[in-house]
Each structure stands twice: as C-alpha cells, then as structure tokens.
Amino acid sequence: MTQELDTLYQEIILDHYKNPLYQGLREPFEAEVHHVNPTCGDEVTLRVHLDDVDGVLSVRDVSYDSVGCSISQASASVLADLVIGKPVTEAMAIHAEFLTLMQGKGTVQPDEDVLEDGIAFAGVARFPARVKCALLSWMAWKDATAQSQQGSTHGG
Amino acid sequence: MTTQTTTTGLLPGLLPELEVIRADFPILERTLAGGLPLVYLDSANTSQKPQCVIDAMVDHLEHHNANVARAMHQLGAESSEAFEAARDRVAAFIKAPSRDEVIFTKNASEALNLVANTLMWATGDLALGKGDEVVITEMEHHSNIVPWQLLTQRTGATLRWFGLTEEGRLDLSNIDDLITERTKVVSLTWVSNMLGTINPVAEIAARAHEVGALVVVDASQAVPQLPVDVVASGADVLVFTGHKVVGPTGIGVLWGKREVLDQLPPFLGGGEMIETVRMERSTYAGIPHKFEAGTPPIVEAVGLGAAVDYLDHVGMDAIHAHEQAITGYALQGLATVPGLRVLGPLDVTGRGGAISFELDGVHPHDIAQVLDSRGVAVRAGHHCARPAHARFGVQSSTRMSSYLYTTPGEIDALVEALAYTRSYFKVG
C-alpha cells in the first residue's frame, strides 16, 4: 500500500509542500481572489500581476496565501513556478494541460516539457477525492487572471 | 487483524459478545485494496448496517412494496402497516408519549429546517420578530446553525451563541445573560459531532423554559449512543437521523410535543398532509401527517424500525458503556502519539465517541489519506462545524468515531497508523 501512497505523494510534491515557491502576498497586483474548497475547508487567497513584456501580455507575478493539505499547497507552488514569466496565452495553455491531466482519472500521460514539476500530480488524478485539492489554486489563478484582463481592458 | 479477544478482560464496559455483534454487520468482513481488513472509525459520519436492517428492507421491497395510505389493495395495507409500525417502534425507542409526535423527514437537516421555517410563518406565541432572540452554540453542526441564521435574518430577530471553554465544553457562565425574556428559541446539540462533548441539555432546557423559550435539540449524535427519553431530555423538539443509528440514509426523525407541533403551521404542501383541498383553500391533516407531504421514505422507515429494534435488543445502556470504554481506550492511545492534540474533552466522562485531533506537521487530509492506505477509515475536514474549529484556531481536523462494533484492536490499528503517518511525512 505504501507503493500506492507513493504514487500520490511524489517526492516533488512533498518538496514543494515543505519549501513552497513564491509564497506570500505581494504588490503590485491587478486582481485578488479568495477560493475555498467547501467540503474540506482548504482556502487560498491569490493575487495576479500582469504586464506587457515586449508587447506581449505576460504573467509578472503570482502571489498567494493558503491553508490546506500537502497536495493543495504543493500545487500552488508548482502553479506559480510554471506561469510566472510566461505570456498569458501560454500560461492558459499550461492551465488547460494541467486540467486535462487532473480530470483524466489517471489515463492521461503528462507532457513534461509543458508541465515540468506538474507531472508529479499525475498520480493525484487517480485519487478522485484529491483532484479538487490539486485544482484549488489553479482555478483561483484562472479566475484572478480573467479579472486582471478585464481590469486592464477597462483601465486602457 | 488483532481483535478484542486479547483485551476484552482488560476493558470494563465492552460489549460482552462483541464478536457476535460484529458478525451482524456484513461490511466489517470485507477487505480493502491490498487485502487489508477494514478498520471503520467513521461512525459519527454514518454507521454501518446490520444484516437484519438490510433484510427488512429487501423483504419489504420484494414482498410488500406499495404506496402507503393511498392504495386500496392488500399490498397497500401491508406497506401502510409496515410504515406505521416503524413509527411505533421509533416512538417506543425514544420514549415519546405519543406515536403521533414522531414525524418522518428526509434527515436531521430537513427536520431542523422544518422547525426553523415553520417558526418563520408561525403566529401567536411562537412568532418571531425584531427584538426577539434565538440562542445556539459555537459547537453546532452547520445544519443547526444555518437554518437559524436564515430565520433570524428573515424575521429581524437576533442570533446569539453560547461560547466554548478551552476544554471544549459549553461555557455556561453567562447563561443568564444569554437566555432572557427576549429568548424565543434555544437550539443546541446534545452531543457534539466534532468535540464529542455531551451537553447538559436538561439544565439548559430548564432555564429556557423559565423564560418561555422553545427548546430544540439536535440529537443526531446522541440517539446512536445514549439511552434517550425525549420527555426527560427537556426538549420541546428533538431531531435525529436514521443512518447514524444503524438505519438507512434518506430518513430522519422529528419528535415534538403535541402542543408545539399543533401550533406550528404546515411545512411542505402536497398529498397526505391535507384534510380537504378546495380551490379557494385547503384544510390540513393532524400530526404526524400534517408534516409528511408526498410519498414518504417507506422502505427507509421499515429499515429504521428494524434498526432501533436491533439497538434496543443490544441495549442502549450496554452500547453507551461500550462507547465509553472504547473512547477511554482511544484517548489513552492517542495520548501516546507525539505531537497529537485532541480538540475536546480529554476526560471520558461527559463525552461521546467522536474524537477530533490535530497532528503537528501533517494536514488532516494527508493523515486521512495515509490512514486509508492502511485500511483505517476516518474523517478529515471541518466536519460541518467550522465555528467550533475556528474557536480552537484550526482550519480542520482529523476525527475518529467508534460505535457498538468497534474493538480495542481497531484503536490499536489507528494508533499504529498514526505513528506510520508521522514517519511517512518525516515529522518528529
């Protein structure tokens, strides 16, 4: 059974859990969202800062404050590491790829070139009760990014 | 798996024929992934079902199925008789003065919502408005919080709360400030689903009755493990759910004093709850049917009747003693796990069989996952009691909960699995 458990708790996940990247709430930001997982009580407050980089709208920063299990905490760390510095369109593609992996019930082969450390979550997809843990911060990021884009449109 | 056979003699209060009891519950024989035996410590969430309950429901569906009180044929008569016999059995089980005071609902949540909603529409003494107060406690399940929030928000009344002591008991030091002439309803849990605390319901009810308040008791965790006499409890209304008393899901019970139920207006409108229906207006049936619109949970009632018969046969005093013995043993075992903090009373006196705890360095979800990989089923999260968790400064907890089929060996398995969890997450 330890083997089964190890597919869920990959070393990469435990590393991100113990030493999360980009943790904490920072300025500047265009949107801040608060997402909760009502069944377990996990929560994340997440901020997104978008900016033009060489004429391309890009993710300049993702900062967050969260309480939750190892899967949800590690997932926020991996998310921030993956999308910071990327054009928004590319970050959204990564988001879509991660969502497909998590909703694949363990049948989807992850693409390491796209998801990097995110491939460690392939095992989580086999535990239906934990998929929502892995997706909490990703859904928050998508929401905040959409709000940031609306904000930047309004702001000119 | 280790069983109680080696330790029975050491633990006074254990059910003497625990192996026989366990054999009544077929699910306890199953194994989990990897061939591991099931260690089911989630009975406060839902209890397992004995064969007699399963058989009663199958027999009803196979041989007596028909709608109740509407079908003018032999099957209809048999089904109606089985349904109403279940009401008699439940009434006897909780010592209700009248069978008509036992209303079948969908679950305890629906029963509490029925009371809160009908109070919103009530006239006369029971009506609520600005300046009136409803008093609940910080240890309530969400189903005994949200209906009262809705009621007070909608009527302009004020919601007030009993606080908790560090030990996880109700803080009654300000009872005379909380329960006053303005109090219209006092609603509280008899046994906390998170902290395990058994509350002094009769004492609080006596104070509430001095000021003329209605006393509502959530007995969802009490009826499974304590001998219950609804009149002695002090409640005016008492609710519980079927699936926690070895019965099926889909059925709950609302008991209320006749004078209260008669005074409350109808809840859901529909078939069965009427006397006559005319286009201009309808008149309503008396209790219990007044509150049972539509086709009721018939086979579930049959199952619940068999369930309370089963518990009666084992004996609620014996079940309570067993829970106390197991809970005491579990509290001792959990105390040996480094970094573990129990949320709730550490003394087995005045507490029930649910024990929530924190483990330093490991999130409850992760604890539950590792325990599950060892075959140990517990619950992790806020257990629908967020205010109580907030009171103790935690977001969630892990909860083990025992029942009449739980063995000391299963508690040993939990304690071992917690030690394994610590080593897996490299804490300590």
Side-chain angles (χ1 to χ4, degrees), chain B residues 326-405:
Chain B
I326 289 288
T327 305
Y329 187 71
L331 286 167
Q332 280 174 26
L334 292 173
T336 66
V337 180
L340 189 145
R341 174 170 79 120
V342 169
L343 304 166
L346 294 172
D347 179 359
V348 76
T349 316
R351 97 185 306 297
I355 306 176
S356 295
F357 56 87
E358 281 193 295
L359 187 60
D360 261 356
V362 194
H363 189 274
H365 248 172
D366 296 318
I367 296 171
Q369 191 84 55
V370 178
L371 296 188
D372 183 54
S373 79
R374 315 279 280 190
V376 180
V378 297
R379 182 166 171 184
H382 51 55
H383 320 307
C384 301
R386 283 204 80 152
H389 279 82
R391 162 64 180 82
F392 291 98
V394 297
Q395 172 231 8
S396 59
S397 64
T398 308
R399 180 185 74 185
M400 65 136 279
S401 52
S402 53
Y403 206 14
L404 75 162
Y405 37 69

Side-chain angles (χ1 to χ4, degrees), chain B residues 180-194:
Chain B
T180 68
E181 301 300 321
R182 293 185 298 278
T183 310
K184 297 299 291 274
V185 181
V186 176
S187 186
L188 78 161
T189 189
W190 190 334
V191 179
S192 161
N193 75 310
M194 173 204 165

Side-chain angles (χ1 to χ4, degrees), chain A:
Chain A
M1 289 319 292
T2 303
Q3 209 178 354
E4 183 76 357
L5 211 53
D6 289 344
T7 57
L8 177 66
Y9 295 116
Q10 302 275 323
E11 277 303 322
I12 297 174
I13 291 180
L14 295 180
D15 285 348
H16 277 277
Y17 175 46
K18 298 225 155 149
N19 301 297
L21 306 171
Y22 302 103
Q23 200 180 35
L25 292 171
R26 289 178 294 277
E27 302 200 5
F29 62 96
E30 292 75 45
E32 175 182 294
V33 297
H34 181 74
H35 279 215
V36 300
N37 192 334
T39 55
C40 65
D42 284 4
E43 299 186 28
V44 63
T45 303
L46 185 141
R47 292 176 177 177
V48 165
H49 173 40
L50 306 180
D51 204 1
D52 271 348
V53 176
D54 303 329
V56 180
L57 188 63
S58 300
V59 183
R60 285 294 291 270
D61 194 19
V62 175
S63 64
Y64 61 93
D65 180 27
S66 61
V67 280
C69 64
S70 59
I71 303 296
S72 74
Q73 301 288 85
S75 176
S77 171
V78 167
L79 159 80
D81 194 34
L82 271 173
V83 300
I84 291 174
K86 300 263 187 355
V88 170
T89 47
E90 189 184 336
M92 281 292 177
I94 294 169
H95 183 280
E97 183 93 4
F98 188 77
L99 195 61
T100 304
L101 174 66
M102 295 318 300
Q103 293 174 342
K105 300 189 169 109
T107 60
V108 175
Q109 272 300 323
D111 183 345
E112 188 166 4
D113 291 340
V114 178
L115 291 179
E116 300 176 22
D117 277 3
I119 63 166
F121 290 84
V124 178
R126 290 167 48 190
F127 293 80
R130 304 306 293 276
V131 169
K132 60 185 174 4
C133 310
L135 286 178
L136 180 66
S137 57
W138 288 74
M139 293 309 185
W141 173 78
K142 191 177 184 186
D143 183 12
T145 302
Q147 288 185 27
S148 296
Q149 286 176 292
Q150 278 174 0
S152 63
T153 310
H154 291 305

Side-chain angles (χ1 to χ4, degrees), chain B residues 86-279:
Chain B
R87 197 189 309 276
D88 291 332
R89 288 153 146 187
V90 169
F93 184 66
I94 59 174
K95 301 190 171 54
S98 162
R99 67 181 307 280
D100 294 341
E101 295 174 342
V102 173
I103 317 290
F104 286 133
T105 61
K106 185 173 70 181
N107 46 36
S109 295
E110 189 186 64
L112 288 165
N113 278 276
L114 185 158
V115 179
N117 276 273
T118 54
L119 278 170
M120 188 152 48
W121 306 318
T123 51
D125 291 355
L126 292 178
L128 269 84
K130 239 184 174 49
D132 292 330
E133 293 176 354
V134 173
V135 180
I136 60 173
T137 87
E138 264 187 81
M139 69 165 79
E140 297 310 311
H141 187 282
H142 295 167
S143 60
N144 200 27
I145 295 175
V146 182
W148 304 113
Q149 288 178 327
L150 291 170
L151 173 66
T152 50
Q153 283 160 11
R154 287 166 177 169
T155 57
T158 303
L159 185 61
R160 301 187 66 192
W161 306 67
F162 275 106
L164 309 181
T165 66
E166 266 311 299
E167 205 210 347
R169 300 203 182 270
L170 279 187
D171 179 1
L172 299 178
S173 61
N174 60 343
I175 186 168
D176 290 335
D177 296 329
L178 276 172
I179 300 181
T180 68
E181 301 300 321
R182 293 185 298 278
T183 310
K184 297 299 291 274
V185 181
V186 176
S187 186
L188 78 161
T189 189
W190 190 334
V191 179
S192 161
N193 75 310
M194 173 204 165
L195 303 164
T197 318
I198 299 179
N199 290 322
V201 169
E203 183 190 327
I204 295 166
R207 174 69 191 127
H209 286 148
E210 281 173 18
V211 300
L214 185 76
V215 176
V216 180
V217 173
D218 176 1
S220 297
Q221 299 291 342
V223 175
Q225 50 182 323
L226 299 175
V228 168
D229 176 329
V230 287
V231 175
S233 78
D236 296 305
V237 174
L238 179 145
V239 311
F240 66 98
T241 192
H243 69 94
K244 295 190 204 286
V245 290
V246 309
T249 56
I251 186 159
V253 173
L254 183 161
W255 168 83
K257 287 180 180 163
R258 176 182 287 277
E259 58 266 35
V260 174
L261 296 179
D262 279 345
Q263 209 184 331
L264 289 171
F267 178 44
L268 303 176
E272 192 63 29
M273 56 75 72
I274 46 87
E275 192 176 59
T276 60
V277 175
R278 294 199 181 83
M279 285 175 72

